[in-house]
Amino acid sequence: MIASLALILVAQLVGEIVARGAGIPVPGPVIGMGLMFAFLLVRDGGQLGLARILPKPLTDGTLESTARGLLMNLSLMFVPAGVGVVGRLDLLWAQGFKLAIVLLVSTALSLLVTVLVFRAVVVLVERRRPDGEA
Amino acid sequence: MGGDFSLWVYLARTPLLWLTVTLTAYVLADRIAAATGRHPIANPVLITVVLVGSVLAVSGTPYPTYFEGAQFVHFLLGPATVVLAMPLYERRATVARALVPMLAALAAGAATTLAVVIGLAGLLDLPQPIVISLAPKSVTSGVAMGISEALGGDPTLTAILVILTGIIGAILVTPLMDALQIRDMRARGFAAGLAAHGIGTARAFQVSEVAGTFAGIAMGLNAFLTAILAPLALHLLY
């Protein structure tokens, strides 16, 4: 578990350094996600023989179960920021009603357009390639 | 009274108390959500925030004091984002096959969100700094605050709007998709992550791991695209 956490933090740290260093408008942890993905590809690719030199928790599924544990409780991690919102609701009072309309309408339309375009393109692509996954 | 009071003063200042309150409230909220069969309106983030917010209000605790304990939980957002790589890796073949629909939905979704937010805010006569603070509201909070600040908005207001958008999106997504009779979990998840960032992704993982995987991808891609599009869109207007 500690080895898994260490690896996750290393990926995040390198991601943070790359993001700040290069001034890319992507959060460090998202770059860290890319690095972790690359690590998994190399580990399972086997060309470098990483499986033999890596600590066991990184190859025996502990890393994966640590990840699952974090993702299962993703909701929890938004609580501290959410509680901060409660304290600053005064910022919303002046324009509260108008802001509520903008948030509701735009979020609903954003969901709607995204899902409809996704499905429309899936149908288009699969008509050309009938063996595609449904 | 003196003894009790000094114990309270001691506890209220250590991270232990507020970390415990956060975790306990979350466990309770999760039980409530489970008892409703994970009904969308019983959103665990919303319930926990209301519970903790009430405790802070009743005890008169300032937010910075609370955050000293809660920061350990807040910190885990970074590692949780990194490990989105695991479901992505396990389903990489499925994701690769859906690359074209994902990119099309990303472009359409990000552009629509910006156009609707800026257009509607203009129609309602909202002042310009508020429109700027609203523009990146579907993006994960760290990036959204950066965009808002760079363009002359109010990053604190943006953070509030981002969290509210996440909760609204997480509540709306399931009923909306069911009403449209869309059963493709890839499309449902992708929409949740694009419109409602991490809170939408957390909701998507509750529904299905495929949906969660696609939500995570959408969240990352939209942060990148909106950071590029928001300044362009606002530039056209002001």
Side-chain angles (χ1 to χ4, degrees):
Chain A
M1 163 118 156
I2 298 301
S4 307
L5 280 178
L7 181 71
I8 294 165
L9 291 180
V10 166
Q12 187 184 347
L13 181 63
V14 176
E16 212 68 75
I17 292 169
V18 171
R20 308 260 157 175
I24 314 171
V26 172
V30 172
I31 297 175
M33 171 167 85
L35 294 171
M36 183 59 83
F37 187 84
F39 166 81
L40 295 171
L41 275 178
V42 173
R43 182 194 70 181
D44 296 349
Q47 300 97 330
L48 298 178
L50 272 184
R52 267 178 292 118
I53 50 170
L54 282 172
K56 221 169 140 247
L58 300 186
T59 52
D60 69 356
T62 311
L63 180 62
E64 282 77 2
S65 55
T66 307
R68 200 160 296 122
L70 278 171
L71 288 177
M72 292 267 291
N73 295 298
L74 195 54
S75 299
L76 168 67
M77 295 155 207
F78 289 97
V79 170
V83 173
V85 168
V86 176
R88 297 311 309 275
L89 286 178
D90 55 307
L91 271 181
L92 300 179
W93 285 155
Q95 310 284 352
F97 182 65
K98 290 176 179 176
L99 284 176
I101 293 179
V102 175
L103 290 184
L104 276 172
V105 172
S106 66
T107 308
L109 281 177
S110 167
L111 286 168
L112 201 67
V113 169
T114 307
V115 84
L116 291 180
V117 169
F118 192 109
R119 282 304 305 163
V121 176
V122 166
V123 170
L124 271 178
V125 170
E126 277 166 13
R127 192 178 297 159
R128 230 181 301 149
R129 214 180 39 193
D131 58 334
E133 193 193 53
Chain B
M1 154 92 203
D4 290 350
F5 184 68
S6 60
L7 175 65
W8 165 253
V9 168
Y10 170 72
L11 278 181
R13 280 174 41 215
T14 65
L16 173 67
L17 177 66
W18 298 113
L19 185 56
T20 312
V21 167
T22 305
L23 293 185
T24 313
Y26 175 72
V27 171
L28 192 64
D30 199 56
R31 286 292 290 274
I32 296 172
T36 65
R38 305 254 165 229
H39 190 279
I41 198 85
N43 183 275
V45 182
L46 183 60
I47 301 173
T48 316
V49 165
V50 170
L51 288 174
V52 175
S54 313
V55 174
L56 293 186
V58 168
S59 64
T61 306
Y63 182 68
T65 309
Y66 165 74
F67 196 77
E68 262 177 53
Q71 62 178 321
F72 303 104
V73 170
H74 182 72
F75 173 77
L76 289 176
L77 267 179
T81 307
V82 172
V83 299
L84 282 170
M86 274 68 166
L88 177 61
Y89 176 73
E90 277 161 33
R91 291 170 207 284
R92 59 194 182 281
T94 313
V95 171
R97 266 197 299 274
L99 202 61
V100 178
M102 278 191 334
L103 292 178
L106 167 71
T112 306
T113 311
L114 277 170
V116 172
V117 168
I118 297 173
L120 201 54
L123 271 180
L124 293 171
D125 256 342
L126 284 168
Q128 184 185 340
I130 295 193
V131 180
I132 296 172
S133 308
L134 265 168
K137 63 158 196 96
S138 276
V139 174
T140 185
S141 53
V143 177
M145 289 170 78
I147 296 174
S148 169
E149 192 163 25
L151 299 174
D154 173 359
T156 313
L157 179 61
T158 298
I160 296 171
L161 297 168
V162 166
I163 299 274
L164 291 177
T165 297
I167 293 175
I168 292 171
I171 290 174
L172 284 183
V173 62
T174 306
L176 190 67
M177 298 303 155
D178 286 346
L180 292 169
Q181 299 192 322
I182 288 165
R183 287 181 202 87
D184 184 342
M185 282 301 162
R186 302 170 302 173
R188 291 174 67 132
F190 197 82
L194 187 135
H197 54 91
I199 302 183
T201 304
R203 169 66 195 172
F205 269 110
Q206 282 182 351
V207 175
S208 102
E209 208 175 293
V210 174
T213 305
F214 277 82
I217 301 168
M219 173 175 71
L221 290 176
N222 193 29
F224 184 70
L225 188 58
T226 301
I228 296 167
L229 287 184
L232 287 176
L234 288 165
H235 230 76
L236 287 176
L237 276 168
Y238 300 118

